Amino acid sequence: MNTDKDSRPIIELRELSKEFKTSSGPVKALEDINLSISRSEIFGIIGLSGAGKSTLVRCMNLLETPDSGKVVFDGKELSSLKAREQRLARQSMGMIFQQFNLLEQRNVIRNVLFPLELAKVPKKEAYSRAERLLELVGLSEKAKAYPSQLSGGQKQRVAIARAIAAEPKLLLCDEATSALDPDTTKSILALLKRINRELGITVIIITHEMRVIEAVCDRVAVIHNSRIVESGSVREVFSDPKSDIGRRLIGGAYMEVLSQEVRFTNA
């Protein structure tokens, strides 16, 4: 079990910028982004729609190629790696999405097996690992079910099991709870917290929901108009936001939560 936070960075973004060409002209999605995220922490990135959150997370694993700047993952600058080395680095980054992205023609356990097949993990080892992961996410009894037979929360649990099947060092969560109801969101966040604690996987949560950040994150960065406008511990940023957008996003919600002492407990 992972009980101590490791302060060494697992991923660093250095002067990262990204621009998209549109029919109306260039649109700057990211500008001069600098972030350092420690191993084994849960880090939140919060901002309004269109602030650049999803582009930022896609640049972390080079699904989007930054126009300038560097992504340093596990001590290696990704753009300097050869194609094979980049693929191996990506295997160390799991990712889950708002819409689950499960393969409808595959049952639950075969969805979890999919990345292991791509990695050519021996069949017996792959099945054993997939079964352990379904037990971890609480879906052992759904191994033979198909995505169409699952609830939204169950689909996200399958997506999480699949994302960590290749034993990544980093799990990227892009608005992963936005399509879920509050109770299901609570259970998914508790699961992410357990995965972080027990497996030592760094978790990065991209969201526009303050309750998600304050429930599980160690630190948070606020993004607005393509820039990081402030960052720090959740308590620091939420109790005394320095930016105008931080004050707008947070308002009095954090103090209300503090007064009610609402916190998610360990799963």
Side-chain angles (χ1 to χ4, degrees):
M1 179 182 293
N2 176 59
T3 57
D4 298 318
K5 298 295 181 183
D6 188 336
S7 61
R8 294 176 300 158
I10 183 66
I11 190 166
E12 297 175 90
L13 309 180
R14 301 174 182 170
E15 300 177 349
L16 204 71
S17 294
K18 176 69 180 178
E19 187 176 88
F20 292 107
K21 303 292 190 290
T22 73
S23 57
S24 306
V27 174
K28 193 169 288 293
L30 299 173
E31 186 172 4
D32 195 29
I33 300 291
N34 290 280
L35 276 179
S36 180
I37 297 170
S38 300
R39 297 171 191 269
S40 304
E41 76 173 325
I42 305 180
F43 192 94
I45 300 173
I46 189 169
L48 299 174
S49 296
K53 302 187 302 296
S54 290
T55 302
L56 178 57
V57 74
R58 290 172 67 85
C59 282
M60 288 182 182
N61 59 8
L62 296 192
L63 287 177
E64 293 284 357
T65 303
D67 295 326
S68 61
K70 296 180 179 180
V71 178
V72 180
F73 174 68
D74 202 20
K76 298 177 181 178
E77 204 274 288
L78 293 186
S79 64
S80 69
L81 300 179
K82 295 179 180 179
R84 181 179 178 278
E85 294 172 319
Q86 281 192 2
R87 286 195 299 272
L88 289 174
R90 284 199 186 102
Q91 288 178 10
S92 290
M93 300 185 200
M95 191 166 184
I96 57 174
F97 307 87
Q98 179 179 349
Q99 298 302 328
F100 320 127
N101 291 3
L102 299 180
L103 300 170
E104 294 293 330
Q105 74 276 18
R106 284 178 168 242
N107 62 22
V108 164
I109 195 163
R110 291 187 64 224
N111 262 281
V112 179
L113 284 168
F114 185 61
L116 301 178
E117 293 169 0
L118 294 179
K120 296 183 170 30
V121 175
K123 189 172 182 180
K124 184 176 180 180
E125 179 185 343
Y127 264 91
S128 177
R129 191 185 304 178
E131 288 171 346
R132 290 198 306 271
L133 289 171
L134 287 180
E135 183 177 357
L136 174 67
V137 302
L139 287 179
S140 294
E141 77 285 357
K142 297 289 186 180
K144 298 299 177 64
Y146 284 82
S148 61
Q149 300 171 302
L150 304 178
S151 68
Q154 289 171 333
K155 290 178 181 178
Q156 195 58 286
R157 287 174 179 271
V158 177
I160 291 170
R162 182 182 62 184
I164 63 175
E167 300 179 335
K169 298 176 181 179
L170 179 66
L171 179 61
L172 303 169
C173 308
D174 189 7
E175 297 282 7
T177 60
S178 295
L180 306 176
D181 63 69
D183 285 343
T184 305
T185 292
K186 182 177 179 178
S187 69
I188 292 297
L189 293 177
L191 175 59
L192 292 175
K193 193 170 183 177
R194 180 183 176 190
I195 287 168
N196 167 260
R197 184 180 70 245
E198 296 185 4
L199 303 183
I201 297 174
T202 304
V203 179
I204 298 177
I205 296 177
I206 307 292
T207 185
H208 64 276
E209 299 178 283
M210 294 176 295
R211 59 181 177 144
V212 170
I213 298 294
E214 63 198 6
V216 294
C217 293
D218 301 304
R219 294 192 298 136
V220 62
V222 181
I223 187 170
H224 184 59
N225 288 340
S226 310
R227 286 179 167 269
I228 300 295
V229 294
E230 63 178 307
S231 63
S233 73
V234 170
R235 179 173 287 272
E236 289 170 349
V237 173
F238 276 44
S239 63
D240 186 23
K242 305 300 183 186
S243 64
D244 289 340
I245 188 61
R247 288 187 286 272
R248 282 175 53 198
L249 281 168
I250 296 158
Y254 183 62
M255 296 311 296
E256 180 181 347
V257 170
L258 280 180
S259 66
Q260 295 174 354
E261 295 184 350
V262 176
R263 287 293 180 270
F264 288 99
T265 57
N266 293 338

